[in-house]
Amino acid sequence: MKRRKGRGPFRAKMFSEPNYKGRNKGGFPPTYRNRQEEDDGDIAMNDTHESFRPRFNPYDRGGKRRDDRLGKHRAPLHGGPPRDLAQHQDRGPAGDDRKAWFKISIPYGKKYEKTWLLTLLQNACKVPFTAVGYHIEHNQAHFYVEGSETARALRKISRSLTDRENFKIAILTRATAAPPQMESKDMKPEEVEHFKRCMEKRYDGAHQALDMKSLRSDPDLIANKIDFILGRKSYMQAMLKIIKDNVPELLSLDVSNNKLYRLDDMEELPLKAPNLKILNLSQNMLRSDRELDKVKGLKLEELWLDGNPLCDTFRDQTSYISAVRERFPKLLRLDGHELPPPITFDIETPTTLPPSKGSYLVSEEIKVLILRFLQQYYACYDSQDRQGLLNVYHEEARCSLSIPANVAQGPNRGSLGEYTKDSRNLKKVRDQTLRFKLLKHKCLNVVGFLNELPKTQHDLNSFVVDVTAQTITLLSFVVNGIFKEVEDQSVSVVRGFSRIFVAVPGSDGGLLLVNDQLFIRTASTEEIRKAFVTPAPTPSSSPVPVIAPVPQDMVQAFSSFSGMNLEWSQKCLLDNAWDFEQAAQIFLKLKSEGKIPEIAFMK
């Protein structure tokens, strides 16, 4: 028997062949217009390419080459959309490939039963998808899918499937806006109420279990003509909210056979049902075990995954169990089978951070030097005129200020708006010219900049000081603490700060700052509660005095008199300008009022 040219042994009948029953009256083949509608080439992508094009006549003198008439949208060799246009179709109207919507059309899809057709496509498509808005228009079946990857996967299987009559099934794709039923993301109140009643009937209070299996086939929902697709974000969120509001003690949840192909919308399940021990995800469309990462916060003891494509991706049972138990270490049963007991340790992981340590000042000598410097520095900084700081900055000093990158903006008390214009936070300031401008250089510029900042009062008792580097010629230390702005007496705003000082020895034995980096933030509730509990020394408007040797004999004598350690004895004397009698009176007064902390007496 003579084989027809171009026909293989497994090739199905084509619409254009002579024995096709859909030939026009009189036995003639379909016209060009009809063939264009029947072809699977995804040509009908926009209005431009849906218009009728006359047949090319190769003998027409005035005719042009077909490629010239098509322009840059040159057709590929074997039909289908033009090359450039096919790439363009994978982008949605807003240019977002992943979240774009695509309309899928099946020519002559009217003759197919919906469930049969969708099952056929879902089994053949490599990317799982949910068909939204299935409907028949003329002779074609239409539905919508989300994501260009899904659309490409469907187009790849076009004409690779055949129906019961051995005709090939063509699949056309076109980027489109969101389908009408997806425009409203929130459920209507009456839908929520139906959903709540449905969940109430499916809840087993004795076992604290909720059975949401095969939700779309629920008789009550069908009777009310409500189509709930649990794979949609709005429905899943509604279910989780109802669980949180009504049964937060839920122990078992069954969402099997709901065509779930991802678990993004279930990420809040560990928060909504923290006591959940049993989760049934069987008979869904989960293709990767990575989907389990989105619910691994659950402390599951039993999990069902059978019937999902991901179960076929493992080479053996051991690797399957290992991958699941990596997400749920306390799992005891998987797909109804008992698992070996998990390896656990009796020692519980600490849930709280250890208490923070105090200041780190290397040695007693460095400690005295830094504390004396800070007393004098902030006495001037908190005064009305900060010009006295000229004595403590090196001629080539540099200074910068930063605030958190995600800080609130605006005039409210919690914001740091007044510092925003001077912030040099490198996460926010990308421009190199602006970075250079915000870095203050030279002593006069540094002090001038500091003098323009809001007037402050620092709580010296909140200071925590850590030495980060120390050599013979350099000292670097970090100061953490709180302060309040005092320009507006009616409002007292407490702030937190961290300040990095880099200093070199001065000619008079003191410290000269070569680098000053100030970071200002919003104070925590605990910091505000503890702020200024102990009276701070009165700021002085005089310049920072030249650092002189500490009179150790006086400090030792005051320590013997007061019973305080040397650090606090020196602090009390320094606050009272080294007047022993005045310092003693202040000490007795504060002690009688119980305002001296116990740390002052620790030696």
Side-chain angles (χ1 to χ4, degrees), residues 385-428:
D385 185 7
R386 295 171 179 160
Q387 293 298 320
L389 295 176
L390 290 169
N391 295 328
V392 293
Y393 282 94
H394 191 277
E395 183 61 31
E396 297 296 328
R398 286 176 170 81
C399 175
S400 66
L401 179 146
S402 296
I403 62 175
N406 58 346
V407 72
Q409 303 293 332
N412 57 304
R413 293 183 59 181
S415 71
L416 297 172
E418 63 269 37
Y419 300 103
T420 303
K421 61 182 178 62
D422 298 311
S423 175
R424 194 174 177 266
N425 191 312
L426 300 185
K427 287 186 176 181
K428 296 288 288 184

Side-chain angles (χ1 to χ4, degrees), residues 136 147 440 503 546 586:
I136 301 294
K440 310 305 176 185
V546 176
I586 295 297

